[in-house]
Amino acid sequence: MRIGLLQCDDVAPELRERHGNYPEMFAQLFAAVDSNLSWRVWRCLDGEFPDGVEAVDAWMTTGAKFSVNDDLPWIADLEAFVRTLWQAGKPLVGICFGHQLIAKALGGRVIQSPRGWGVGLSFNQVTERPEWMAPAQDTLDLVVSHQDQVVELPPGARVLGGSDFCPAYLMQVGEHFLGVQGHPEFTKAYSRDLMALRAGDIGDARVREGEASLTSPVDDTLMARWILAFLRRAMHHPVHVG
C-alpha cells in the first residue's frame, strides 16, 4: 500500500532529536503492523500539496498545534483537498487535527472544548464495531493532546467510540473516511515530554492527571491494525460520491 501523509505540523525542535518528526513517528508505528508500506509526504503546512488524488493508494493526515478554525491559507487549501478526496471516493484517515478537519470540511463543527485540554492517555468505549475492527475490542485507549473537539458530525458520519470527555472520539464518514482524536503514533515518552513543554498552557493539575494516566496500557498497535484494515477495505470497495 502506498500512503500519502499530509503533514500539518512539525515536532518541536527541542523534542525532535529524541522523538523524531511526524513522518518518522507514523512510519515506525505502522511498520510494526505491515513492513511493506511505502510513504510519500507532502508538507501541507508549507503550502505543499499533491497534484491529484491518484498519487497514492490511501491518505492520512498528521495532527497539528493549529486549530482547524485558524484563518491560514494552507488550512483552507487542505480543507478543499479533503473535500476533493471525499468526492473522488479516496480513503482518508485523519489523526487529531485531521479528524477535526474531516468533520469541518464535510459540514460538521469544531470548537475549543470547555472541558479543557485532553492530555496523556484517553480512555474510550467502543460503541459500534464495523468488521474492519479486528481483533475486536470494547475499549480504545490512546495518547491525546488537544483542546479542540468535534461537536457536530458532518452528514453521513457516525461515532464509533468516545467518552464523556470527548464524545466524538472515533468517527467514520461514509465508507472511506475515518477520524480519530487520539494519536496512535505518539509514544508515552513523547506524551510526557510534550506535556512538560506545554505545561504553562495546560496547567499543573491537568499535567499531573495526564502523567498518571500514562501508567495504563495503550492501544497504539491495535489502532494501527484497525486503520490499515479500514484503508484496505475502502480501497477494495471504491465509492464515488461526486
Side-chain angles (χ1 to χ4, degrees):
M1 190 192 308
R2 299 170 303 156
I3 300 176
L5 186 65
L6 302 168
Q7 187 174 347
C8 304
D9 201 0
D10 287 306
V11 169
E14 53 266 57
L15 302 184
R16 211 174 298 162
E17 183 175 348
R18 182 179 179 197
H19 300 287
N21 208 343
Y22 289 120
E24 290 77 37
M25 289 182 178
F26 275 79
Q28 184 172 351
L29 169 70
F30 287 97
V33 177
D34 186 341
S35 59
N36 294 316
L37 301 175
S38 64
W39 295 85
R40 186 171 171 188
V41 180
W42 283 268
R43 289 183 56 86
C44 298
L45 72 159
D46 293 335
E48 181 182 80
F49 287 89
D51 292 331
V53 300
E54 303 291 345
V56 293
D57 300 314
W59 300 85
M60 292 187 202
T61 69
T62 71
K65 61 177 169 287
F66 306 97
S67 167
V68 297
N69 296 316
D70 287 345
D71 185 19
L72 296 171
W74 72 266
I75 294 179
D77 290 344
L78 182 55
E79 190 176 323
F81 185 66
V82 167
R83 284 193 288 269
T84 300
L85 290 174
W86 173 256
Q87 293 291 333
K90 296 300 178 183
L92 170 67
V93 173
I95 306 294
C96 190
F97 173 89
H99 164 68
Q100 297 162 5
L101 194 71
I102 286 173
K104 183 171 185 284
L106 299 183
R109 193 163 71 97
V110 177
I111 65 168
Q112 184 170 315
S113 174
R115 298 180 177 95
W117 277 89
V119 292
L121 208 59
S122 66
F123 303 94
N124 301 278
Q125 195 70 28
V126 174
T127 52
E128 187 179 335
R129 280 176 289 278
E131 62 182 20
W132 50 264
M133 276 192 187
Q137 187 168 295
D138 292 333
T139 55
L140 178 64
D141 303 339
L142 297 172
V143 170
V144 288
S145 183
H146 68 106
Q147 288 181 285
D148 287 3
Q149 291 194 28
V150 175
V151 292
E152 290 180 17
L153 298 178
R158 63 191 201 268
V159 171
L160 306 180
S163 67
D164 290 341
F165 178 80
C166 183
Y169 187 87
L170 182 64
M171 168 189 76
Q172 182 174 339
V173 194
E175 296 302 320
H176 60 293
F177 272 27
L178 179 69
V180 63
Q181 184 59 65
H183 284 276
E185 80 283 7
F186 282 7
T187 63
K188 289 182 180 181
Y190 179 67
S191 174
R192 197 171 282 112
D193 287 353
L194 187 60
M195 282 188 283
L197 185 67
R198 295 177 173 173
D201 294 328
I202 298 169
D204 290 343
R206 189 55 60 93
V207 168
R208 287 201 310 274
E209 292 170 357
E211 288 175 342
S213 72
L214 294 176
T215 59
S216 295
V218 63
D219 295 317
D220 48 1
T221 304
L222 176 70
M223 189 69 225
R225 290 187 191 281
W226 285 358
I227 286 172
L228 293 182
F230 174 84
L231 290 176
R232 289 194 181 95
R233 185 180 183 281
M235 285 166 52
H236 295 136
H237 299 83
V239 292
H240 294 279
V241 296

